[in-house]
């Protein structure tokens, strides 16, 4: 049986200060040389590229090896997306509750106003209706200004 001879080729490259310091820290944390660290990182990079270039296999047999990197990444992404979706659903539900509360408050306020406002006499009905419409439009403009002012800071 022939043994395959291991041939090593030297690769030389220049990197910026930040990347060089990062390589030094990573090599020190693993207690390996910078050269060995770069070799391991390149092997990992190419393994990831090779794996990502292969089609995703949905079904796995029962005795299959551990899941490939792409499957783990997809599972982690799915978990994060599900957590984000749950959080957003809870926020939307809370906003819906707040809107319903405001609707009830406005309804009760209107009922309270109607209880204490006297009816207008028939001869003054048109004048009261015009004045009410004018006040209503002023109120709506004020609300729109408040809402527009609240959005400018966003």
């Amino acid at each position: 049986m022939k043994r395959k001879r291991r041939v090593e080729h030297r690769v030389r490259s220049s990197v910026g200060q930040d990347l060089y310091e990062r390589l030094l820290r990573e090599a020190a944390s693993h207690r390996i040389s910078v050269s060995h660290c770069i070799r391991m990182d390149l092997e990992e990079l190419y393994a990831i590229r090779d794996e990502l270039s292969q089609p995703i296999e949905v079904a796995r047999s029962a005795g299959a090896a551990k899941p490939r990197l792409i499957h783990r990444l997809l599972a982690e992404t799915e978990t994060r997306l599900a957590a984000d979706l749950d959080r957003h659903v809870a926020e939307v539900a809370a906003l819906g509750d707040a809107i319903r509360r405001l609707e009830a408050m406005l309804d009760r306020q209107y009922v309270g106003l109607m209880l204490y406002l006297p009816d207008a006499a028939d001869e003054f009905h048109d004048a009261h209706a015009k004045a009410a419409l004018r006040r209503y439009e002023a109120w709506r403009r004020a609300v729109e200004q408040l809402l527009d002012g609240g959005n400018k800071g966003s």
Side-chain angles (χ1 to χ4, degrees), residues 109-134:
Q109 176 68 28
Y110 183 79
V111 170
L113 281 172
M114 294 305 107
L115 283 173
Y116 294 105
L117 288 177
D119 287 338
D122 287 338
E123 62 268 11
F124 299 117
H125 192 268
D126 288 339
H128 278 279
K130 285 181 186 176
L133 188 56
R134 184 177 30 82

Side-chain angles (χ1 to χ4, degrees), residues 57-75:
E57 300 156 9
V58 177
R60 272 188 27 188
S61 60
K66 68 179 185 173
R68 291 181 21 210
L69 174 65
I70 189 70
H71 294 121
R72 290 193 313 268
L73 291 174
L74 288 173

Side-chain angles (χ1 to χ4, degrees), residues 14-144:
S14 299
V15 296
Q17 184 69 28
D18 292 340
L19 182 55
Y20 180 70
E21 289 174 1
R22 185 173 179 178
L23 283 168
L24 288 175
R25 284 192 306 272
E26 186 175 346
S29 72
H30 294 294
R31 295 186 174 158
I32 57 176
S33 68
V34 173
S35 179
H36 189 193
C37 181
I38 292 170
R39 187 170 40 254
M40 285 177 26
D41 287 348
L42 283 172
E43 288 171 355
E44 182 180 7
L45 169 70
Y46 284 112
I48 290 171
R49 282 186 179 177
D50 291 344
E51 191 169 317
L52 290 176
S53 68
Q54 296 175 4
I56 296 174
E57 300 156 9
V58 177
R60 272 188 27 188
S61 60
K66 68 179 185 173
R68 291 181 21 210
L69 174 65
I70 189 70
H71 294 121
R72 290 193 313 268
L73 291 174
L74 288 173
E76 289 172 13
T77 302
E78 182 181 9
T79 302
R80 285 194 304 267
L81 286 172
D84 283 347
L85 183 60
D86 288 345
R87 185 175 47 84
H88 288 303
V89 166
E91 288 174 1
V92 168
L95 287 172
D97 291 344
I99 288 170
R100 283 188 288 284
R101 188 176 311 110
L102 285 172
E103 287 174 336
M105 290 168 68
L106 283 172
D107 184 62
R108 293 295 91 204
Q109 176 68 28
Y110 183 79
V111 170
L113 281 172
M114 294 305 107
L115 283 173
Y116 294 105
L117 288 177
D119 287 338
D122 287 338
E123 62 268 11
F124 299 117
H125 192 268
D126 288 339
H128 278 279
K130 285 181 186 176
L133 188 56
R134 184 177 30 82
R135 287 191 308 265
Y136 172 72
E137 290 300 326
W139 176 77
R140 287 199 52 169
R141 282 192 302 275
V143 168
E144 287 178 22

